[in-house]
Amino acid sequence: MTDITADRQTSRRNPAAPGAARTVASAVPAALVARLAKGVTATGEPDWVHTTAPLTGDPLARLPRSTPADVELAYELARRAQQTWAALPVGRRAAVLLRFHDLLLARRDEALDLVQAETGKSRLHAFEEVLAAALAARHYGRKASSYLRDRRRSGALPVLTHTVESRRPKGVIGQISPWNYPLELSVSDALPAFVAGNAVVTKPDTQTALTALWARELLVEAGLPADLWQLVIGDGPVIGPAVVDRADYVSFTGSTRTGREVAQKAAARLVGASLELGGKNPMLVLADADLDKAAEGAVRACFSSAGQLCISIERLYVHRSVADDFLARFAARTSAMRLGGGLAYGADMGSLVSVQQLETVTRHVEEAVKAGATVLAGGQARPELGPLFFEPTILDGVTPEMEICAQETFGPVVSVYRFDTEDEAVAAANSTAYGLNSSVWTTDHRRGRAVAARLRTGTVNINEAYAAAYGSIASPMGGMGDSGLGRRHGGEGILRFTEAQTVSTQRLLPIGPSFGMDDEKFAALFTTGLKAMKALRFK
Ligand code: NAD
């Protein structure tokens, strides 16, 4: 086992962090919480919910709980606002996203404080959320007009049929999001929904609702009509179904178990849903990989946001010929990571978010070790740093009967395995029911892409952990198998919030017998016409 450095010390990469002494209470004062709480759609005498700061265990926020009747009100208000919003030209709607982009970057420290206070992650990991949200705002702000524009399509009869495919907003989107990326996951699905002409009713996880409320406030400042984005708060099994029951489309991010329930409810109402779910993501280190880069990449891959990242790596497959060398480098880097809870840059990893998360991580590690796995780095909780800290942990010798082998841990723990052939590595990588993200390390890019084509995951990162594909915002992102349905980002990420409508105008001649032509003559004429269209290579 190793001694993971605490934040009292400094590291080579992160010298002493100024401002590390700021407390959660001073960064998120009661007045800010009270102001943000006004953004919750909750009427009547408030029934308060309370959250605590993971870094310290101290009380953080008191927020009014919404009732199912409040969810109904939220939809009513959103529906009314959506009519006016949808009538605006796309360019006017897109301008709001671009203004939001600038405001977000200018006020990023406010966002970082809130994300750190609510999740316990390090500031650098919180910054990834700002980055991802800004990318989504810029991309959809600039590209929405092109994604949404009317498109001429070939008609039933050349020249005589004029056909246009248009995109209409779905109406009101029901959005349900988890606690792990509260800024990114409340904004980057909502932005394409808004620019496509929709309203949104969001149920964030209560633990991270302040960040979502802050993002809403900022978007309103950027010009979004206030009623267009409603936020409701409450227990998932109570308020979640109320959100799904009224939505014209559901955008869900969370666990596979809840995702199945949401999908069934949406299916019963015949409304669509996109589901961004869990993963047990593999990383492959091929024999020709640059081992220093791969070891550095593995640290990012496994321990960003303390592994509470859906696209985080939890299974690491290394070619036997380089395994010892690679593992020595990876374990050394992992053991040198600085854990810390300050509201400033400097720590390499922060805390877990909740007691439940700490229990799952501890159980997975303890069970595996008891059954024979070896700890190459980490392996322990670190209560002296804060109530929910757990060391970044590498396990060797994990076997299929251990829970950690194929179940998502959603924490800073990775299991390592050795392989002899590429076929073996690909088969092992594809061996779980999940299919979200994977990472391949090789100096031969062509070989990397060939391996990628055989991996059953929605994203594959070659020589990067997850950020290359996730940050490629023009390209779709999502899961295969139990990791989800549908995609965010790119064209699919916005068109899912629209209905396609085909409008065809028939000119001069109808598509049926006319001018006294009998049925048989019409059929013969059309048969000749079809043959001619094929011969002329009509599509
Ligand atoms: P979760 O499914 O428990 O909760 C997610 C959201 O659903 C929360 O807001 C919760 O209150 C709500 N909810 C709970 N029960 C509900 C119900 N019956 N009906 C409707 N909504 C309900 O997930 P979690 O533990 O909060 O989040 C972690 C999971 O999310 C992990 O599995 C992780 O991999 C996944 N995740 C996936 C992505 C992705 O993009 N694929 C991103 C982040 C997290």
Side-chain angles (χ1 to χ4, degrees):
M1 275 190 222
T2 51
D3 186 21
I4 308 278
T5 316
D7 69 341
R8 285 179 231 94
Q9 300 167 26
T10 56
S11 75
R12 181 175 40 82
R13 195 156 54 90
N14 289 316
R22 287 167 66 235
T23 62
V24 169
S26 65
V28 186
L32 172 63
V33 174
R35 191 187 81 211
L36 292 174
K38 293 203 179 95
V40 181
T41 311
T43 52
E45 196 53 38
D47 170 17
W48 300 105
V49 286
H50 297 86
T51 64
T52 53
L55 289 171
T56 57
D58 293 336
L60 176 61
R62 186 182 82 144
L63 297 164
R65 194 194 303 269
S66 310
T67 61
D70 291 326
V71 177
E72 201 165 325
L73 173 67
Y75 272 92
E76 244 176 72
L77 296 170
R79 261 184 220 296
R80 224 173 294 148
Q82 191 262 338
Q83 305 286 321
T84 322
W85 176 248
L88 293 178
V90 183
R92 291 266 304 276
R93 301 197 298 253
V96 174
L97 272 61
L98 295 171
R99 280 196 294 272
F100 173 77
H101 171 275
D102 296 349
L103 284 173
L104 176 64
L105 294 184
R107 309 243 305 260
R108 66 184 184 283
D109 279 326
E110 290 174 41
L112 297 179
D113 283 347
L114 281 167
V115 169
Q116 282 201 278
E118 291 197 308
T119 65
K121 65 176 74 177
S122 75
R123 204 160 187 85
L124 182 66
H125 295 155
F127 182 72
E128 288 191 354
E129 299 206 39
V130 171
L131 207 63
L135 280 174
R138 191 197 65 209
H139 179 71
Y140 288 114
R142 293 256 185 261
K143 283 275 291 183
S145 310
S146 138
Y147 284 133
L148 298 170
R149 74 181 163 79
D150 286 354
R151 287 185 156 74
R152 257 311 276 283
R153 300 296 185 201
S154 43
L157 292 177
V159 185
L160 301 183
T161 319
H162 174 273
T163 293
V164 175
E165 177 191 320
S166 299
R167 292 282 159 178
R168 311 285 180 219
K170 290 264 187 193
V172 184
I173 309 303
Q175 183 192 31
I176 299 177
S177 49
W179 43 262
N180 65 329
Y181 274 66
L183 176 66
E184 151 68 351
L185 294 177
S186 56
V187 163
S188 58
D189 292 319
L191 293 177
F194 287 133
V195 78
N198 299 281
V200 177
V201 174
T202 295
K203 191 212 90 60
D205 194 286
T206 307
Q207 172 62 31
T208 50
L210 285 179
T211 307
L213 287 161
W214 181 86
R216 176 183 175 276
E217 220 183 60
L218 204 69
L219 204 49
V220 170
E221 198 178 320
L224 193 83
D227 278 352
L228 204 71
W229 193 3
Q230 303 284 324
L231 265 103
V232 289
I233 287 179
D235 294 342
V238 179
I239 294 302
V243 168
V244 177
D245 278 347
R246 289 165 182 80
D248 298 317
Y249 182 86
V250 181
S251 169
F252 175 83
T253 307
S255 65
T256 299
R257 184 182 47 78
T258 312
R260 278 190 213 285
E261 279 180 45
V262 167
Q264 279 166 10
K265 268 197 157 292
R269 296 187 50 238
L270 293 181
V271 301
S274 50
L275 308 166
E276 305 288 345
L277 310 177
K280 187 78 186 175
N281 308 303
M283 169 166 157
L284 278 54
V285 180
L286 306 188
D288 67 345
D290 178 321
L291 297 187
D292 276 322
K293 285 187 183 158
E296 194 66 43
V299 168
R300 279 199 307 281
C302 304
F303 307 128
S304 289
S305 289
Q308 298 168 121
L309 164 63
C310 56
I311 45 186
S312 185
I313 297 297
E314 295 197 359
R315 298 179 292 143
L316 186 40
Y317 298 95
V318 193
H319 193 271
R320 197 175 302 279
S321 64
V322 294
D324 291 346
D325 199 353
F326 169 80
L327 289 173
R329 295 171 203 226
F330 179 37
R333 279 173 170 81
T334 301
S335 301
M337 283 176 74
R338 244 182 358 155
L339 306 191
L343 297 191
Y345 292 103
D348 297 318
M349 195 179 99
S351 152
L352 295 173
V353 76
S354 64
V355 174
Q356 194 192 344
Q357 283 295 110
L358 181 64
E359 281 172 3
T360 309
V361 171
T362 309
R363 190 185 73 243
H364 276 194
V365 172
E366 283 179 356
E367 273 180 14
V369 171
K370 213 165 150 197
T374 317
V375 176
L376 299 185
Q380 306 276 357
R382 291 291 292 269
E384 79 281 14
L385 299 176
L388 303 172
F389 278 83
F390 196 96
E391 293 173 343
T393 298
I394 309 173
L395 294 181
D396 199 0
V398 167
T399 49
E401 66 283 0
M402 300 176 192
E403 195 180 352
I404 202 167
C405 188
Q407 298 299 315
E408 184 184 44
T409 305
F410 215 52
V413 188
V414 63
S415 312
V416 293
Y417 308 89
R418 290 155 186 77
F419 66 85
D420 292 304
T421 66
E422 223 163 78
D423 284 352
E424 196 191 320
V426 167
N430 287 339
S431 66
T432 73
Y434 293 115
L436 193 53
N437 178 44
S438 55
S439 168
V440 180
W441 293 78
T442 169
T443 44
D444 180 347
H445 294 180
R446 186 189 297 243
R447 184 174 174 206
R449 285 192 291 272
V451 171
R454 301 173 65 198
L455 292 172
R456 296 272 309 150
T457 56
T459 47
V460 184
N461 288 271
I462 298 171
N463 294 336
E464 182 42 71
Y466 56 83
Y470 199 88
S472 299
I473 187 84
S475 194
M477 149 83 220
M480 299 184 187
D482 283 4
S483 289
L485 267 187
R487 297 287 184 270
R488 58 166 55 109
H489 296 177
E492 292 182 49
I494 183 168
L495 296 181
R496 66 187 158 146
F497 297 125
T498 66
E499 297 279 8
Q501 185 181 52
T502 299
V503 177
S504 294
T505 311
Q506 190 60 25
R507 297 184 281 214
L508 300 173
L509 291 174
I511 304 180
S514 55
F515 302 115
M517 183 186 290
D518 66 26
D519 294 359
E520 198 175 340
K521 277 216 177 89
F522 171 77
L525 185 67
F526 239 84
T527 302
T528 310
L530 286 169
K531 286 180 183 166
M533 282 195 275
K534 176 163 183 274
L536 293 168
R537 311 192 80 80
F538 277 60
K539 295 201 181 84

